[in-house]
């Protein structure tokens, strides 16, 4: 029998082959037995136990902060809010980027928090909130956002004032500080209603002025409500509203006064009854008074009137007149039409001659101190919002947007200027 001798080289090759076979068996065994709790199983079970234990130590409370972290152009009124589910808020801190605290309040049920007042525009705010679940475990959430800037926001300056009592001709007039391109969206955020149920419609005179009125004058002694819900409304690209406000005002008695330029008299009626007829002096033939329905928009016991401000100048460029103490003056137009007292003219002109530069003058005294003068009486009886109608003048009818004088537009034309 042949005796074979195994060399070192062959021995190494044989061991390597055996190791390869055994290795394959071990690998197959490990893969097959992994689901049966083999040597790898204890590690997997340990990780699952760790995850489960960690989950048991995590609060179930879920905190949500609005606006989202990093938000830009956030509302200064409504956006900031913290809410929680599966728990209750225990502490919310809101500060500016500089650390100034913002007052806020957690609701009685502990489910929400809001600031107690409006925020500032163009300001970075930070919110840190803490809540607890029923087991007492805490959850925390943080966010930072920036409110809308001056450049990216608009407001509407409105008249009449909240709580005021005005005449039956007073429209709601809103002048926006930036041009509005999405008129439908903005008008949709403004509502005007009357306690008597009168239909009220808005009319855009231009990109910045929106007025509201009914078809006829307001009903006397009614209450009018203006609601501005413009917070977050995009009035133009990248420009958002910030106002959220409700305004109410009262309509007083119905006073409408009619100036007849031809007869040089004014008839004052309250609730349809004539209470006084006053002699007047209107615009001269060279400087006629506008015809039409005009609304008193301002009242001044005394004021300065300079002709240069409304185009009446001498050859030297100075005003044809400059009276620094015109008594009992009430504005009827933006362009400078007033009904006012006149102490510098002869008493004989009232009721007989039209001499003014377009205003309506009534007899008065210097200093506005005599309540028995015709101008003083009319001033005391008048409200902002009362109507003064001028007729039989040689001039044209005043433009509806020259003052608060939209009554000089037909109802159909008025409605045609609505965006909604």
């Amino acid at each position: 029998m042949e005796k074979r001798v195994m060399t070192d080289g062959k021995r190494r090759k044989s061991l390597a082959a055996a190791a390869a076979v055994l290795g394959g068996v071990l690998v197959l065994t490990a893969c097959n037995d992994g689901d049966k709790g083999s040597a790898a199983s204890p590690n997997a079970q340990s990780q699952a136990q760790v995850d489960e234990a960690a989950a048991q130590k995590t609060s179930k409370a879920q905190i949500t902060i609005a606006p989202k972290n990093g938000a830009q152009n956030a509302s200064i009124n409504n956006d900031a809010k913290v809410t929680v589910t599966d728990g209750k808020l225990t502490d919310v801190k809101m500060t500016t980027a500089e650390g100034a605290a913002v007052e806020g309040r957690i609701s009685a049920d502990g489910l929400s928090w809001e600031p107690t007042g409006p925020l500032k525009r163009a300001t970075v705010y930070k919110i840190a909130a803490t809540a607890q679940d029923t087991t007492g475990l805490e959850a925390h959430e943080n966010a930072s956002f920036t409110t809308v800037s001056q450049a990216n926001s608009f407001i509407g300056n409105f008249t009449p004032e909240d709580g005021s009592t005005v005449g039956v001709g007073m429209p709601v007039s809103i002048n926006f500080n930036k041009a509005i391109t999405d008129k439908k969206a903005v008008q949709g955020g403004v509502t005007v209603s009357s306690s008597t149920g009168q239909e009220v419609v808005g009319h855009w005179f231009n990109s910045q002025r929106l007025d509201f009125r009914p078809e006829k004058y307001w009903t006397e002694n009614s209450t009018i409500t203006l609601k501005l819900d413009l917070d977050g409304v995009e009035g133009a690209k990248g420009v958002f509203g910030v106002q959220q406000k409700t305004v109410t005002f009262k309509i007083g008695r119905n006073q409408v006064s009619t100036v007849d330029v031809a007869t040089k008299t004014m008839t004052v009626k309250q609730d349809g009854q004539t209470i006084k007829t006053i002699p007047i002096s209107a615009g001269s033939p060279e400087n006629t008074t506008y015809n039409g329905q005009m609304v008193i928009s301002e009242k001044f016991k005394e004021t300065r009137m300079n002709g240069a401000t409304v185009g009446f100048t001498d050859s030297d460029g100075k005003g044809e007149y400059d009276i620094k103490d015109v008594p009992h003056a009430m504005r009827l137009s933006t362009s400078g039409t007033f009904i006012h007292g006149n102490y510098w003219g002869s008493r004989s002109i009232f009721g007989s001659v039209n001499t003014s530069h377009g205003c309506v003058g009534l007899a008065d005294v210097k200093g506005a101190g005599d309540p028995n003068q015709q101008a003083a009486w009319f001033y005391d009886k008048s409200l902002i919002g009362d109507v003064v109608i001028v007729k039989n003048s040689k001039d044209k009818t005043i433009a509806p947007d020259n003052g608060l004088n939209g009554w000089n537009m037909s109802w159909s034309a008025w409605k045609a200027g609505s965006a909604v």
Side-chain angles (χ1 to χ4, degrees), residues 209-284:
R209 179 177 170 183
L210 172 63
D211 283 17
F212 288 82
R213 71 167 177 89
E215 181 176 5
K216 305 296 183 182
Y217 300 144
W218 300 107
T219 302
E220 58 269 21
N221 303 315
S222 57
T223 299
I224 313 303
T225 301
L226 162 66
K227 290 186 178 180
L228 297 172
D229 191 12
L230 295 172
D231 189 44
V233 174
E234 191 169 17
K237 186 175 181 180
V239 181
F240 301 88
V242 295
Q243 287 169 298
Q244 185 171 347
K245 190 176 184 66
T246 298
V247 173
T248 60
F249 59 95
K250 300 285 186 180
I251 304 299
R253 75 290 175 276
N254 183 326
Q255 178 169 302
V256 178
S257 304
T258 301
V259 172
D260 189 329
V261 174
T263 64
K264 304 166 189 66
T265 59
M266 178 173 68
T267 302
V268 183
K269 290 185 176 183
Q270 281 191 3
D271 301 322
Q273 301 297 313
T274 299
I275 61 172
K276 197 175 185 67
T277 299
I278 302 173
I280 61 93
S281 180
S284 68

Side-chain angles (χ1 to χ4, degrees), residues 294-308:
M294 305 183 211
V295 174
I296 296 174
S297 59
E298 291 181 294
K299 293 180 65 179
F300 307 99
K301 189 171 183 180
E302 291 183 280
T303 192
R304 178 186 181 187
M305 290 188 179
N306 185 346

Side-chain angles (χ1 to χ4, degrees), residues 29 41 112 144 174 222 248 277 396:
T29 300
S41 179
S112 64
S144 176
I174 305 172
S222 57
T248 60
T277 299
K396 63 185 178 181

